[in-house]
Amino acid sequence: MRSLVLASLTLALNVWQSPAASRPDFSGSWTMERSRSQSAESATLEIRQSAGEIIIVTHSAGKTSERKYPFETSPHPASETISAGHTHASWDGTKLVTETVGDIKGQTVSYRQIRFLDASSTEMTVETITIVQHGYSIKDGKNYSTAKDVYVRAK
């Protein structure tokens, strides 16, 4: 019994002291796989990742947009109001989380995207939730939408 407890403690200490899993590198060009994606329009992405920020350039419907996401080490409290124009990125294990607050026709809109790579790092899945923060609720009404898109890394 004593050896079982000692072995458990040793294992727990080794797990606790082991370094965090390395962060995946999302850098590169990505093309949406339309047949496996839910978004209304096709897109290509160019991602540049550094230790301090991630930059995502999106090409869709003849338009190009660039967004910079500085990495934050701790999440914003749920009660904190985040102003329009704010962007940030964080890690949830090996998943990259980006959040943006914007304004569309006077309505505050939040976007949260969770990105993760397959085992070979050649496919990226992006899960998006878009929330319209209009300040009121409607019974059985929905103020959000979700989409799951799959991108293939350009060679």
Side-chain angles (χ1 to χ4, degrees):
M1 178 70 169
R2 183 176 175 193
S3 61
L4 181 62
V5 171
L6 188 57
S8 297
L9 280 173
T10 303
L11 177 63
L13 282 174
N14 285 336
V15 169
W16 178 74
Q17 291 176 349
S18 65
S22 63
R23 305 289 190 219
D25 187 2
F26 289 85
S27 297
S29 296
W30 298 89
T31 303
M32 182 185 284
E33 186 78 22
R34 283 298 311 142
S35 64
R36 298 166 56 203
S37 298
Q38 297 174 328
S39 288
E41 296 190 5
S42 187
T44 58
L45 307 175
E46 295 171 30
I47 299 178
R48 296 186 305 273
Q49 179 179 333
S50 68
E53 71 180 1
I54 190 154
I55 299 169
I56 301 174
V57 179
T58 304
H59 305 280
S60 180
K63 297 180 183 177
T64 299
S65 64
E66 178 178 298
R67 193 158 307 252
K68 295 180 183 183
Y69 299 90
F71 281 106
E72 294 185 350
T73 56
S74 60
H76 291 273
S79 60
E80 180 180 347
T81 301
I82 300 173
S83 60
H86 179 81
T87 62
H88 65 268
S90 60
W91 292 102
D92 182 4
T94 58
K95 293 180 180 181
L96 173 64
V97 180
T98 57
E99 296 182 276
T100 302
V101 179
D103 184 89
I104 298 176
K105 297 182 180 180
Q107 297 291 325
T108 301
V109 180
S110 299
Y111 304 94
R112 182 171 205 241
Q113 293 184 309
I114 300 171
R115 292 174 171 77
F116 51 94
L117 300 176
D118 69 347
S120 64
S121 296
T122 58
E123 288 189 0
M124 172 178 62
T125 301
V126 182
E127 296 175 346
T128 304
I129 183 165
T130 304
I131 302 171
V132 178
Q133 301 174 16
H134 45 62
Y136 58 88
S137 60
I138 300 171
K139 186 176 188 230
D140 299 325
K142 197 169 104 167
N143 68 331
Y144 66 93
S145 66
T146 60
K148 185 176 186 177
D149 299 315
V150 177
Y151 291 81
V152 177
R153 189 185 294 268
K155 297 181 183 190

